Amino acid sequence: MPNPIIQVQEVNKEYGRGKNTVAALKDINIEIQPGDFVAVLGPSGCGKSTLLHVMAGLEQPTTGRILLDGVDVTLITERDLPKVRAQKIGFVFQAFLLIEDLTAFENVESVLWPSEELTKQKQEEMALEVLREVDMLERRDHFPRQMSGGEQQRVAIARALVNSPPILFCDEPTGNLDSKSGEGVMKIIAKLNKERKMTVVLVTHNEELSRYARRTLRMHDGDIKSDRS
Ligand SMILES: Nc1ncnc2c1ncn2[C@@H]1O[C@H](COP(=O)(O)OP(=O)(O)OP(=O)(O)O)[C@@H](O)[C@H]1O
Ligand SMILES: [Mg+2]
């Protein structure tokens, strides 16, 4: 077996203090292999988004460690965290979260991590390439308000891909979409897993979407209740 690309070790996450404390994650341990497609299912409030945010370094766990590619993200300084996130992680949210006054192309290009070798022309090619991958090349000059929800989500996926991270985290990516656009988005995510070999962690309360995954974790009340491959 290769080394796991994601390791969650003894993770707890508490919100609030004193008698208002909410234990959102309770002693979670998970290992995810590179190239896997994992669905995290469970009812509202069980801790799915918290788990994904903590895995992605968007929130710190109260205790425990998260290793991405062997690197402990809980130890990375505030200053270095954005770079590590850009290199290792793409994140897709239920609400798309595109920037309203940027076009599809500009939204994608805006997150490209700068480097010495990256010429302006190369940057443009990279942004266009990922827009092509989600079939949004023709809409590159359109603003979010000119696109349907499904189209906006496809641009958001392109944005998550542009730095070629090995991991794609998706939090209810079809939650705001009708079933047909939702299926289009799921097919793209499945394609990225198959063709780019991206490791996908998909959070959803929609049982049906687990058919896209190879492994299903079920959460309840901050705990992992079952883990099936
Ligand atoms: N910032 C916060 N402050 C206080 N409590 C929070 C905060 N974020 C989440 N919680 C609580 O932590 C628990 C887990 O929330 P989380 O958002 O992870 O659930 P979820 O499984 O993603 O639910 P949903 O399916 O509704 O999105 C819930 O009880 C929630 O109220
Ligand atoms: Mg959630």
Side-chain angles (χ1 to χ4, degrees):
M1 273 249 242
N3 291 329
I5 189 163
I6 304 171
Q7 289 165 280
V8 179
Q9 300 177 338
E10 310 278 323
V11 162
N12 284 279
K13 176 72 180 177
E14 290 178 357
Y15 290 110
R17 281 171 168 228
K19 64 174 172 26
N20 294 325
T21 304
V22 176
L25 299 175
K26 301 172 184 167
D27 277 321
I28 303 279
N29 289 285
I30 307 168
E31 289 196 339
I32 295 176
Q33 298 300 323
D36 209 349
F37 191 142
V38 180
V40 179
L41 283 161
S44 182
C46 71
K48 305 180 297 296
S49 296
T50 305
L51 177 63
L52 213 59
H53 291 171
V54 164
M55 278 182 177
L58 298 175
E59 284 184 66
Q60 286 282 347
T62 306
T63 60
R65 304 207 304 163
I66 308 288
L67 292 94
L68 299 181
D69 246 347
V71 176
D72 187 341
V73 290
T74 56
L75 297 181
I76 298 169
T77 61
E78 287 282 320
R79 198 197 57 184
D80 290 336
L81 199 53
K83 181 177 178 192
V84 174
R85 271 198 224 118
Q87 289 171 337
K88 300 221 184 282
I89 295 165
F91 209 107
V92 177
F93 300 89
Q94 176 170 351
F96 326 137
L97 303 188
L98 296 176
I99 299 173
E100 289 300 324
D101 54 4
L102 297 183
T103 63
F105 175 80
E106 290 165 344
N107 262 284
V108 171
E109 210 191 21
S110 70
V111 302
L112 259 174
W113 198 260
S115 81
E116 300 263 316
E117 314 86 83
L118 217 54
T119 60
K120 186 73 190 155
Q121 190 193 346
K122 179 73 187 144
Q123 289 188 24
E124 283 183 22
E125 281 168 17
M126 286 165 78
L128 293 175
E129 175 54 34
V130 288
L131 283 167
R132 184 178 302 118
E133 244 179 289
V134 299
D135 203 15
M136 286 298 289
L137 193 55
E138 268 86 79
R139 308 297 294 273
R140 61 180 171 265
D141 295 324
H142 287 217
F143 291 92
R145 65 175 176 278
Q146 298 171 311
M147 292 180 248
S148 71
E151 289 165 348
Q152 289 185 57
Q153 193 62 303
R154 275 149 53 200
V155 172
I157 293 173
R159 180 179 60 180
L161 289 182
V162 74
N163 291 303
S164 299
I167 305 169
L168 185 64
F169 290 118
C170 307
D171 193 352
E172 304 275 8
T174 65
N176 288 9
L177 304 176
D178 63 71
S179 60
K180 187 158 171 281
S181 336
E183 195 171 309
V185 161
M186 284 310 303
K187 281 190 172 148
I188 288 171
I189 294 169
K191 184 180 82 170
L192 296 171
N193 172 252
K194 191 156 179 260
E195 293 176 7
R196 281 192 179 231
K197 312 274 180 246
M198 288 181 94
T199 308
V200 176
V201 184
L202 166 80
V203 156
T204 179
H205 63 267
N206 184 345
E207 288 282 330
E208 251 201 58
L209 297 187
S210 63
R211 72 190 147 93
Y212 289 94
R214 269 186 294 277
R215 176 178 173 194
T216 301
L217 301 175
R218 281 173 202 280
M219 291 187 74
H220 185 75
D221 208 7
D223 246 335
I224 306 278
K225 287 293 178 204
S226 79
D227 181 352
R228 293 218 176 85
S229 295

